[in-house]
């Protein structure tokens, strides 16, 4: 795992802990766990997205604003990469 | 203490003014934009009630172009509406003014306040631009990327023209000179740097109050008490004499007139919209909002519909049933009345107040409102239009029984089970269906639909994708085929709550067409 990826996932987990309003601790969730099954809501996805953007200095493009972007920590990390123009 | 409801200014705001017998301070409670304003309605009423109990006047309002305000597409109307509300309080005798703004309304409060005013900003965004980005992101996630229709952009519960979006995005949160200000932040939320001079508090409860539906919203009692205490400590003259505010109880719309009405023994708050040329034969359309939402409906569609219907020659009543809007008292622990007998009694009162016989009556409603419209009431309506129905029970629920979640009926598979299902849907007696409805998670729609077919000349049921799927799994289409007067309209949209203008325009036009046909109106 690159430093970038590690840092991204840390920021994602912190944003989820702060704004995700999940029904279980983020530390108990694997990177693949379904966040919607853990109580993630539409409002919370946006709050988490804005926190990630602030923390990492990126902006999610509109085409990533759909449910599949927010389904797991893995998916969010992939979206962060896409937002930086990484494939 | 007195409460006054009506219109003020030109173009008019709709205003709810609460006045104590005396007191110098009046608080403009700015209405959050879009669905935030709908979800926060009862909580902001609780704030107004608690201010009144402490000798502080308040006004809650819809600016021109929103809610029950007069029509307007002026991009400055949201901020000018807040200033107009302040003028109303001053006209009632208030010599001190405070602006309270929750979330998007913090932008309006900040922009409307003048030097010397008190300001309370509750969970403010960083700026207008940041609020718009958040709102657009939420809308794209909830209703899809294709959110612009006829040049108007749909956010959640609010449509914006490009000029309106630009005006909101240009607001930067600042405090007017010498303003005494309080900022209430969510845990972890940072306040804009321009608000550094304000007193800052971090309190929990905003997310549970605002980031949810009207059904699941939890009253933020600690935050409300904190704001009330902060404002009460700043009252200069508790003996300042106040007089009735100059609100009009009618709004002249040119071809129609809107009036405030209080209906039935529960004093349900309502706004009646009548064509100016109305006669005793003018048909009346009852508009039921969805969920626990107040009379304006999602994206104000009930207001738009009421005014268009008046142009077509039909009157309407849009009403706050118990537990919603201006009706009744507000408390932090008020029971959920979803699908209860209380709502059906409210509908009876509304139908009686409509002043027409069933032959001149139409009932419409969204989701939970469609359930009400579909059940027997004080008169047999000629027309029922149910929008995005999800519930078909004919026995009311007990208070607090309803839990907000869409329960998708189980799909049956296998030849034998499919045969049993087919036979059940075709032949099961009413008593068996009712028993199954009581014990199962989702009511059989047969009794509901059969009753509608018998009582109405026509019933139109409009489905979005999710409610169409529920209806299909319950066997609704097959049952409807055998019943005269039931018309099913499937709309290919995921927009059950009607947040998108495209959805609302389709629904509004369908209702208008049905009303014109049912009552032989020229349109």
């Amino acid at each position: 795992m690159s430093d970038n990826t590690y840092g991204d996932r840390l920021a994602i987990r912190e944003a989820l802990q702060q704004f995700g309003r999940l029904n279980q601790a983020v530390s108990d969730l694997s990177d693949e766990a379904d966040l919607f099954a853990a109580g993630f809501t539409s409002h919370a996805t946006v709050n988490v997205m804005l926190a990630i953007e602030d923390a990492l200095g990126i902006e999610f493009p509109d085409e990533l604003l759909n449910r599949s972007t927010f389904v797991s920590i893995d998916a969010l990390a992939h979206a962060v990469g896409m937002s930086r123009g990484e494939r | 203490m007195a409460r006054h409801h009506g219109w003020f200014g030109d173009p008019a705001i709709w205003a709810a003014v609460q006045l104590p017998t005396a007191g110098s301070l009046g608080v403009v409670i700015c209405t959050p934009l879009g669905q935030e304003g709908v979800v926060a309605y009862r909580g902001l009423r609780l704030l107004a009630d608690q201010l009144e109990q402490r000798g502080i006047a308040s006004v809650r309002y819809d600016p021109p172009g929103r809610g029950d305000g007069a029509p307007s597409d002026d991009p400055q109307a949201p901020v000018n509406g807040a200033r107009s509300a302040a003028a109303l309080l001053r006209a009632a005798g208030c010599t001190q003014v405070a602006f309270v703004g929750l979330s998007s309304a913090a932008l309006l409060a900040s922009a409307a306040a003048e030097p010397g005013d008190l300001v309370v900003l509750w969970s403010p965004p960083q700026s207008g631009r940041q609020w718009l980005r958040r709102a657009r992101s939420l809308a794209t996630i909830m209703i899809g990327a294709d959110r612009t229709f006829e040049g108007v952009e749909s956010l959640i519960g609010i449509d914006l023209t490009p000029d309106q979006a630009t005006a909101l995005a240009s607001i930067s949160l600042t405090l007017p000179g010498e303003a005494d200000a309080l900022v209430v932040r969510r845990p972890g939320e940072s306040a804009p740097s321009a608000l550094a001079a304000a007193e800052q508090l971090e309190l929990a409860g905003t997310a549970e109050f605002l980031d949810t539906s009207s059904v699941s919203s939890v009253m933020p009692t600690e935050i409300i008490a904190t704001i009330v205490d902060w404002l009460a400590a700043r009252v200069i003259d508790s003996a300042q004499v106040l007089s009735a505010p100059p609100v009009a109880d009618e709004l002249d719309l040119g071809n129609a007139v809107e009036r405030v009405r209080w209906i039935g023994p529960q004093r349900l708050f309502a706004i009646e919209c009548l064509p100016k040329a109305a006669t005793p034969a003018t048909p009346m359309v009852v508009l039921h909002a969805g969920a626990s939402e107040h009379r304006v409906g999602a994206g104000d569609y009930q207001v738009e519909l009421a005014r268009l219907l008046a142009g077509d020659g039909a009157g309407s009543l849009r009403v706050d049933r118990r537990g919603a809007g201006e009706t009744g008292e507000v408390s932090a622990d008020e029971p959920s009345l979803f699908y209860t007998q209380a709502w059906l009694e409210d509908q009876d009162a509304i139908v009686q107040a409509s002043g027409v016989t069933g032959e001149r009556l139409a009932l419409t409603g969204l989701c939970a409102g469609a359930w009400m419209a579909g059940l027997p009431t004080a008169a047999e309506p000629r027309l029922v239009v149910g929008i995005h129905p999800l519930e078909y029970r004919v026995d009311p629920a007990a208070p607090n029984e309803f839990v907000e979640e869409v329960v998708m009926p189980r799909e049956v598979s296998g030849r034998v089970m499919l045969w049993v299902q087919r036979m059940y849907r075709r032949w099961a007696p009413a008593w068996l269906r009712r028993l199954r409805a009581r014990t199962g998670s989702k009511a059989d729609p047969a009794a509901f639909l059969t009753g509608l077919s018998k009582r109405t000349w026509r019933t139109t049921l409009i489905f979005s994708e999710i409610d169409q799927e529920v209806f299909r799994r319950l066997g609704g289409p097959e049952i409807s085929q055998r019943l005269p007067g039931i018309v099913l309209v499937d709309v290919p949209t995921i927009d059950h709550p009607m947040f998108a203008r495209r959805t609302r325009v389709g629904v509004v036009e369908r209702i208008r067409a049905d009303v014109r046909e049912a009552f032989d109106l020229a349109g």
Side-chain angles (χ1 to χ4, degrees):
Chain A
M1 189 180 289
S2 70
D3 286 351
N4 209 24
T5 307
Y6 177 77
D8 290 352
R9 285 171 195 263
L10 202 59
I12 290 166
R13 283 181 174 273
E14 283 177 3
L16 282 167
Q17 187 65 48
Q18 187 83 55
F19 298 106
R21 298 181 64 206
L22 303 177
N23 53 27
Q24 59 190 106
V26 176
S27 55
D28 292 344
L29 292 170
S30 71
D31 283 359
E32 304 82 32
D34 184 338
L35 296 175
F36 292 104
F40 214 16
T41 65
S42 300
H43 283 88
T45 61
V46 176
N47 293 336
V48 165
M49 181 193 78
L50 294 173
I52 294 170
E53 288 182 341
D54 276 353
L56 300 177
I58 58 167
E59 190 161 299
F60 282 52
D62 279 357
E63 57 267 28
L64 291 180
L65 299 182
N66 56 60
R67 192 179 167 93
S68 61
T69 292
F70 301 95
V71 75
S72 66
I73 292 169
D74 267 349
L76 278 163
H78 181 68
V80 167
M82 298 276 284
S83 302
R84 289 200 188 97
E86 298 166 7
R87 292 268 170 186
Chain B
M1 290 194 257
R3 300 180 182 188
H4 306 264
H5 297 81
W7 290 270
F8 174 73
D10 183 18
I13 62 170
W14 176 87
V17 184
Q18 296 184 219
L19 289 186
T21 49
S24 57
L25 179 57
V27 179
V28 178
I29 301 175
C30 297
T31 307
L33 299 168
Q35 193 66 6
E36 284 186 341
V38 173
V39 172
Y41 199 104
R42 295 287 274 188
L44 295 180
R45 255 203 71 193
L46 185 64
L47 172 62
D49 289 354
Q50 294 192 0
L51 287 169
E52 187 179 337
Q53 288 160 15
R54 299 284 288 274
I56 299 171
S58 72
V59 56
R60 293 169 290 113
Y61 68 96
D62 288 335
R66 305 283 172 214
D68 294 313
S72 170
D73 57 4
D74 179 358
Q76 300 304 321
V79 174
N80 289 339
R83 291 182 178 136
S84 191
L88 182 55
L89 288 175
R90 289 193 178 97
C94 295
T95 53
Q96 281 181 283
V97 168
F99 287 86
V100 173
L102 163 63
S103 189
S104 52
L107 298 168
L108 312 178
S110 159
E114 295 175 1
D117 291 339
L118 301 167
V119 178
V120 177
L121 304 180
W122 174 0
S123 189
Q126 294 290 320
S127 64
R129 184 184 168 281
Q130 191 241 23
W131 172 79
L132 191 60
R133 160 130 175 86
R134 185 186 187 283
R136 283 175 167 159
S137 300
L138 184 62
T140 300
I141 290 168
M142 292 181 76
I143 58 181
D146 185 16
R147 297 182 286 102
T148 299
F149 182 66
E150 296 176 343
V152 176
E153 173 185 17
S154 290
L155 302 178
I156 301 302
I158 184 172
D159 299 329
L160 295 178
T161 64
D163 286 348
Q164 290 170 332
T166 301
L168 288 168
S170 70
I171 299 176
S172 55
L173 276 175
T174 54
L175 295 174
E178 300 172 36
D180 194 0
L182 170 68
V183 175
V184 178
R185 291 183 282 110
R186 303 180 187 212
E189 190 176 55
S190 59
S193 55
L195 306 181
E199 184 178 342
Q200 307 263 340
L201 291 175
E202 187 173 280
L203 295 173
T206 303
E208 294 77 5
F209 175 47
L210 202 61
D211 295 354
T212 184
S213 72
S214 60
V215 182
S216 302
S217 178
V218 178
M219 291 279 189
T221 50
E222 184 189 358
I223 297 174
I224 288 173
T226 300
I227 292 171
V228 171
D229 286 345
W230 190 88
L231 289 166
R234 283 155 179 80
V235 174
I236 292 171
D237 181 4
S238 58
Q240 173 75 44
V241 176
L242 301 174
S243 56
V247 292
D249 58 7
E250 287 188 359
L251 174 66
D252 190 333
L253 292 164
N255 64 346
V257 177
E258 294 199 330
R259 293 184 186 88
V260 169
R261 291 189 61 182
W262 298 91
I263 289 175
Q266 299 295 331
R267 288 185 52 76
L268 308 175
F269 182 84
I271 292 185
E272 178 185 72
C273 183
L274 286 180
K276 276 191 178 162
T279 70
T282 297
M284 290 294 290
V285 184
V286 173
L287 309 174
H288 291 307
S292 295
E293 296 173 2
H294 66 289
R295 61 202 171 274
V296 301
D300 299 334
Y301 89 93
Q302 295 205 142
V303 180
E304 181 177 3
L305 176 58
R307 293 171 182 178
L308 288 168
L309 285 171
D312 294 340
S316 63
L317 280 168
R318 50 185 195 268
V319 188
D320 293 335
R321 53 184 175 259
R322 267 178 271 181
E326 296 299 304
T327 292
E329 295 304 312
V330 184
S331 68
D333 54 355
E334 52 191 13
S336 163
L337 297 177
F338 256 76
Y339 303 121
T340 60
Q341 182 63 32
W343 276 12
L344 299 182
E345 290 165 6
D346 289 351
Q347 176 164 258
D348 285 342
I350 297 163
V351 165
Q352 285 167 349
S354 72
V356 296
T357 63
E359 271 304 296
R360 307 302 288 166
L361 177 68
L363 306 178
T364 76
L366 169 65
C367 191
W371 174 78
M372 293 174 68
L375 288 179
T377 183
E380 294 192 348
R382 180 164 171 81
L383 173 69
V384 167
V385 183
I387 311 161
H388 303 174
L390 277 171
E391 183 59 62
Y392 305 94
R393 64 190 307 156
V394 291
D395 296 318
N400 291 325
E401 184 183 315
F402 172 74
V403 177
E404 186 190 26
E405 59 179 337
V406 175
V407 179
M408 194 59 79
R410 193 163 53 90
E411 283 267 49
V412 171
S413 60
R415 279 181 56 199
V416 173
M417 287 308 294
L418 283 167
W419 179 84
V420 170
Q421 183 187 63
R422 210 163 44 243
M423 291 301 105
Y424 172 87
R425 286 177 179 171
R426 186 164 299 170
W427 303 113
W431 66 265
L432 180 58
R433 293 175 187 273
R434 193 166 281 213
L435 180 65
R436 184 165 172 264
R438 282 179 183 157
T439 55
S441 58
K442 206 74 186 167
D444 181 332
F448 186 90
L449 295 169
T450 303
L452 276 167
S453 177
K454 286 179 180 167
R455 289 193 303 276
T456 66
W457 165 76
R458 178 188 292 164
T459 293
T460 301
L461 298 178
I462 304 172
F463 296 97
S464 69
E465 287 174 6
I466 188 166
D467 25 83
Q468 199 278 339
E469 181 63 14
V470 169
F471 193 63
R472 186 188 67 78
R473 292 192 185 194
L474 290 169
E478 298 155 38
I479 297 165
S480 303
Q481 272 182 354
R482 303 195 303 271
L483 297 171
I486 304 282
V487 177
L488 309 181
V489 179
D490 292 340
V491 181
T493 176
I494 59 168
D495 184 22
H496 171 84
M498 299 220 302
F499 289 144
R501 176 148 189 83
R502 188 190 309 274
T503 313
R504 293 197 302 275
V505 166
V507 166
V508 163
E509 288 310 312
R510 177 72 204 203
I511 293 172
R512 289 178 71 195
D514 277 3
V515 168
R516 286 195 297 260
E517 187 180 354
F519 302 109
D520 199 20
L521 302 175

